[in-house]
Amino acid sequence: MASEAVNAAQSRLGVLAQHLAPLEPGDLLTQQLTSSSYSRGGYDSTFPQATTSAAFPPAVHDLLALEGLLSPEERQLRDKVRSYMEANVAPVIADYWEKAEFPYPLVPGFGALGLAGGPIKGYGCPGLSIVANGMAVVEVGRVDASMSTFLLVHSHLAMLTIALLGSEEQKQELLPRMAKFDLVGCWALTEPSNGSDASALTTTATKVPGGWMINGYKRWIGNGTWADVTVVWARNNQDGQVNAFIVRKGNPGLRTAKIENKIALRCVQNADMTFSQCFVPDSARLPGVASFADTNKVLAISRIMVAWQPVGLSVGVYDMCCRYVTERKQFNSQLGSFQLVQEKLARMGGNIQSMWLMCWRLSKLYEEGRMSHEQASLVKAWTTARGREVMALGRELLGGNGILAHFHVAKAFCDLEAIYTYEGTYEVNVLVAGRRITGVSAIRAASPPKAASGKKGGSAEAGEAAAERK
């Protein structure tokens, strides 16, 4: 058995060498691809009985021929992203994840895929359909959720906010460079005191001669430690409404600190951000933002992409498990020959087909101008919940290897926990959907009886609006 595994590994090494051919021999990424502790064609000498995720498994997850719902252009984009991720990211990403480091050497090649600013037309952006953007998110997430989140924050939050709500000057200056990843963006909304209740944010923007002075704190900001462009949301002192501002890297009023000890999305550099007398000129304010409600214009698309993310993680885990159970033997039989193994794979596959179809339909509704926020919340809640089940079943199928990052499942298992929470927790999203179903909001308790002073309790509507968005 061991000799067969070695021969198979040598064959895999030849395939990997073909993938590496376009890279220069002295390139840093080439060195990492060839020296990574688990990248040698997916062969681990301490466990030759199965292939690691460094040689990513073939895609076998489309059990209902769902690709027939894609246009030729969408299939072409999917295949291009899949090839890049398998050849360049899969061999090295587990080591980056283990060290909680971002794979900076991958950014130039990643940028060449032409995914940044996906739905934006013009300004050097590709103007992709919503479904095509979803396919990109799936294929990136299939190999690594951190890279998928990096793309989502940069493209579908920072860039999209500038494209939808920025001035023409802001678009012309920033979007072409961000489309090439010459500039990297982040999106600062969440605060230490306000997560789901995002509309109650406390960061302030005070009008001063020539600009604005921003003060406050933000937390969990993806790409925040190294972003060149920060879109920050703050409440202005003139009318009390929430506005958005662009803060550039190097501003003396901005300090960032990496959030340590994460078990999920470990490659994503999440930051605590402190704005202390952070001055920005009048030209840094996004003129299209009049109130917090304008976040809807951005989050309508970004929540679709977040709903697609668990699909990507789930298909990666499923593909990995399908290969593993054909390679791994116990009791002189392939694991795949056992009834309980087949039941788990069938359940995983069924979940994936339903998740994919819900996201596809949501994307089409948006393209037709008929999507509601309640529908987006329903789908995001569903895909993260079903994705969790897929992760758990995959973890069971791999046994002890199910807790090792370089067999992929453990890494995806942890990563999905972050996606389950961001862009609206599961609980908040199902309550938003429930409000649509029943016509009654259960997100916040009803206001207390009128006090003797005649003052009323807090606004339930404000809480609902906030909870819907983070």
Side-chain angles (χ1 to χ4, degrees):
M1 181 186 300
S3 62
E4 294 175 0
V6 171
N7 291 335
Q10 290 173 340
S11 175
R12 291 192 294 270
L13 274 170
V15 173
L16 182 61
Q18 293 176 5
H19 287 317
L20 294 178
L23 298 172
E24 294 297 325
D27 185 82
L28 173 61
L29 181 57
T30 306
Q31 298 172 18
Q32 291 172 328
L33 285 166
T34 54
S35 65
S36 177
S37 56
Y38 294 112
S39 69
R40 302 176 185 90
Y43 174 67
D44 178 2
S45 61
T46 64
F47 190 81
Q49 289 83 7
T51 310
T52 73
S53 60
F56 216 74
V60 295
H61 53 265
D62 188 2
L63 303 183
L64 294 180
L66 298 177
E67 74 165 17
L69 297 174
L70 302 176
S71 69
E73 294 77 16
E74 290 161 352
R75 287 196 296 272
Q76 183 180 19
L77 178 71
R78 178 203 63 186
D79 294 344
K80 179 175 71 170
V81 177
R82 179 180 294 173
S83 296
Y84 173 82
M85 294 298 297
E86 290 179 352
N88 295 283
V89 179
V92 300
I93 199 63
D95 288 346
Y96 280 107
W97 191 90
E98 190 74 29
K99 298 172 185 176
E101 296 176 354
F102 186 81
Y104 298 107
L106 291 171
V107 173
F110 194 65
L113 292 172
L115 304 178
I120 303 169
K121 295 181 180 180
Y123 307 100
C125 300
L128 302 171
S129 71
I130 297 299
V131 173
N133 280 284
M135 290 301 97
V137 168
V138 167
E139 291 303 326
V140 175
R142 175 174 172 260
V143 173
D144 183 60
S146 291
M147 292 291 287
S148 176
T149 299
F150 161 66
L151 174 65
L152 190 148
V153 171
H154 173 77
S155 180
H156 298 287
L157 287 175
M159 290 185 69
L160 194 58
T161 300
I162 296 169
L164 295 177
L165 304 170
S167 68
E168 185 61 29
E169 292 74 19
Q170 290 165 344
K171 298 174 190 178
Q172 292 285 358
E173 177 196 358
L174 296 173
L175 292 179
R177 297 182 66 191
M178 295 177 79
K180 296 185 293 185
F181 287 100
D182 291 341
L183 296 175
V184 169
C186 70
W187 205 74
L189 174 64
T190 301
E191 298 181 351
S193 57
N194 299 88
S196 293
D197 194 14
S199 69
L201 63 85
T202 60
T203 298
T204 60
T206 302
K207 189 70 181 77
V208 297
W212 299 81
M213 200 70 77
I214 302 173
N215 287 280
Y217 303 92
K218 299 293 183 179
R219 184 165 173 81
W220 293 117
I221 310 306
N223 308 341
T225 61
W226 61 292
D228 303 286
V229 176
T230 298
V231 177
V232 59
W233 299 81
R235 192 177 306 282
N236 78 55
N237 71 326
Q238 294 184 314
D239 59 10
Q241 294 293 341
V242 172
N243 297 150
F245 303 85
I246 294 172
V247 178
R248 310 302 180 100
K249 186 176 185 178
N251 189 308
L254 171 61
R255 299 195 309 275
T256 66
K258 178 182 175 180
I259 298 177
E260 303 283 359
N261 302 316
K262 296 188 303 173
I263 68 163
L265 300 178
R266 287 176 56 80
C267 298
V268 177
Q269 305 299 292
N270 291 94
D272 282 313
M273 307 184 84
T274 301
F275 297 84
S276 179
Q277 295 296 97
C278 180
F279 175 81
V280 295
D282 285 321
S283 60
R285 180 176 174 175
L286 276 68
V289 181
S291 70
F292 186 82
D294 289 311
T295 60
N296 277 338
K297 299 172 183 176
V298 179
L299 295 174
I301 295 179
S302 70
R303 188 158 296 161
I304 299 172
M305 297 304 116
V306 173
W308 277 111
Q309 279 191 297
V311 181
L313 273 69
S314 296
V315 299
V317 165
Y318 180 85
D319 292 341
M320 189 72 189
C321 288
C322 285
R323 183 176 69 185
Y324 185 88
V325 300
T326 62
E327 294 179 337
R328 179 71 165 136
K329 293 182 179 179
Q330 289 290 277
F331 308 106
N332 295 318
S333 299
Q334 289 183 352
L335 292 183
S337 68
F338 295 112
Q339 291 178 348
L340 290 177
V341 169
Q342 293 185 9
E343 187 277 337
K344 288 179 171 62
L345 288 171
R347 199 172 356 147
M348 294 165 70
N351 277 350
I352 288 167
Q353 311 313 299
S354 68
M355 292 160 66
W356 196 101
L357 280 168
M358 288 185 75
C359 288
W360 178 83
R361 181 57 182 155
L362 185 69
S363 301
K364 287 296 186 182
L365 285 171
Y366 182 88
E367 291 178 348
E368 296 166 5
R370 298 195 292 130
M371 188 199 80
S372 70
H373 292 290
E374 291 86 355
Q375 290 170 330
S377 289
L378 174 65
V379 175
K380 193 271 180 178
W382 174 266
T383 61
T384 52
R386 297 286 70 77
R388 257 182 154 190
E389 182 180 11
V390 172
M391 301 299 110
L393 292 170
R395 156 72 189 90
E396 294 171 13
L397 286 174
L398 264 66
N401 289 319
I403 65 170
L404 296 178
H406 69 285
F407 276 97
H408 185 67
V409 174
K411 181 168 77 71
F413 183 105
C414 293
D415 287 341
L416 187 57
E417 288 303 293
I419 300 171
Y420 186 72
T421 297
Y422 68 45
E423 280 275 0
T425 64
Y426 173 81
E427 292 80 7
V428 165
N429 275 310
V430 294
L431 291 180
V432 170
R435 181 181 64 193
R436 173 68 174 267
I437 295 167
T438 66
V440 180
S441 174
I443 290 176
R444 182 176 287 184
S447 300
K450 186 181 295 186
S453 63
K455 294 182 179 180
K456 295 183 178 181
S459 166
E461 288 78 7
E464 293 170 14
E468 189 174 332
R469 293 166 181 79
K470 181 56 189 157

